[in-house]
Amino acid sequence: MKKLPLKWKLTILYTAFMTILTVVMLGVLLSLSSSEILSSAEKEMEERVFSVSEDMEWNGERLRLDSDFYEVENGIYLSAYDGEGDLIGGRLPYEFTQDVPLEEGLHKISAQGIQWEIRDASFEIPGYGTVYVRGIISITDAESSLQITIRLSLILFPLLVALAAVLGYLFVRRVFRPVAGITATAREIYEKKDLSKRIGLTGEKNEIYVMAETFDLMLDKVEQAFEKEKRFTSDASHELRTPVAVILSQCEYLLEDGELSGEERSAVEVIRQKARNMSKMIAQLLFLSRADQSRQAVHKELLDLSLITEMAAEEQIEIAGEKGIRIETDIQEGIEGYVDETLFIRLWMNLIGNGISYGKKGGWLKVGLKEENGRACGCVEDNGIGISEEQLPHIWERFYQADSSRTGKENTGSGLGLPIVKWIVEIHGGEISVESAPGKGSRFCFFIPLSKKQGENYCKQPES
Ligand code: ADP
């Protein structure tokens, strides 16, 4: 029951409620009708017993009995007995064979599966003596119409329950239809990361309609806040670009001065390094905010991916060499695919750059590219410091940087490189994965479809 959808739970609950209600109602109605039938039969029998007694007469020779004694009305039989208890007139039911002693009043007897109600009354007839009048009715017969009703109810009852279940389900489904719309919209927003989607419920203005309307209003606010945040990042990056450029040019200018003391020179060099880091971060932020606003240009063209990869690896050989890291390549030749050249180069640069930054002194870095099922599979593997299991899921988050103490040097990163890598891979319709072990190294692999069509089917929003 716990795992059943709410729609089914409500239907079951409703059907159970209807069943109990019907059972109780039928029970009360049948027991009321049963006692009502009996009491009205008793009343009628009493009236008839007394009415026939009024017309009994002794004419000196014969006791004249009313003709009603010989008529059976509503199942009531009347019979007359003399003071000795011998039958002197009237009718008895065919099935009533028992010899029941006369006894003033109302009593019930049961014989051969039939229940009888008997009303005996004695009267004094002038000149004749005591006459007993007996009224007999079969309770079983009186209740036969009720029995038919009970049997009919037993047949109709399952049909009634089934009808209640079907109608209940249709009703619940109708009520829940807008909820399915709300769920679909929420899922679409989540999957396509498109905050411009709205539920836009139409029809009856009930509680669900009001809820959907409120939900849409809330989405308006969330979308506005998101847009504001994106604009803020973009505006702030733009505003910071100029002062940072000025700081950098001033540092260069100062360093040209040959009269600077060693201490002053190293102070300016620290400022220049920090300004360079900041400039790199601003450029990355601008890239991501353009990507968020779908303003980042993506021009896909048929390119030799093997060649680009070779060039990207070669470009980093010198920097890697400074750290004593050896770059090894394993690039399959002639892989062609539709990619944006600038973005594809940036993808390699970021991954290889990280491999060097977090690599071991005197270690190695492997850059590989091969074609696999219509996709370009690119890998960068290092034997560097690695990433712990807890940190691994967070490395794709913006500004996330694992503990800088691990590198053993001052951190020059921004935590924006991998989010950019992920965006580039996804905008090409691909996916990226990472395997890493602390102290052993890391292996980043991406898969990008080579055909134009496959790469186009992807949403343009990177994960924030
Ligand atoms: P950063 O500018 O700090 O390098 P990234 O987004 O490129 O930012 O990387 C995020 C974090 O992931 C880094 O701070 C680093 O801790 C970890 N990381 C990325 N690449 C590697 C790697 N090849 N080896 C070990 N750690 C890595």
Side-chain angles (χ1 to χ4, degrees), residues 442-454:
S442 314
R443 182 180 152 92
F444 287 81
C445 286
F446 64 81
F447 303 85
I448 287 179
L450 293 169
S451 74
K452 202 174 184 179
K453 241 190 149 108
Q454 267 181 291

Side-chain angles (χ1 to χ4, degrees), residues 257-320:
D257 188 349
E259 288 176 16
L260 279 185
S261 68
E263 212 172 296
E264 287 166 338
R265 182 170 292 278
S266 65
V268 176
E269 272 170 357
V270 169
I271 297 172
R272 185 178 61 175
Q273 187 51 47
K274 291 285 174 197
R276 275 183 185 161
N277 291 348
M278 205 186 270
S279 169
K280 184 181 150 198
M281 186 197 278
I282 290 167
Q284 287 178 321
L285 264 178
L286 269 172
F287 179 96
L288 283 173
S289 73
R290 271 199 304 271
D292 286 350
Q293 292 167 346
S294 303
R295 288 194 295 115
Q296 177 60 49
V298 183
H299 300 296
K300 287 181 195 165
E301 50 190 329
L302 189 62
L303 295 168
D304 187 333
L305 308 185
S306 311
L307 208 66
I308 298 173
T309 310
E310 197 78 58
M311 274 164 36
E314 254 173 50
E315 209 167 299
Q316 302 270 43
I317 285 180
E318 208 183 306
I319 308 165

Side-chain angles (χ1 to χ4, degrees), residues 190-206:
Y190 165 72
E191 279 171 358
K192 296 190 178 166
K193 302 178 182 85
D194 183 2
L195 276 172
S196 65
K197 284 264 169 300
R198 295 292 176 271
I199 299 162
L201 212 63
T202 50
E204 205 184 319
K205 296 202 172 185
N206 52 23

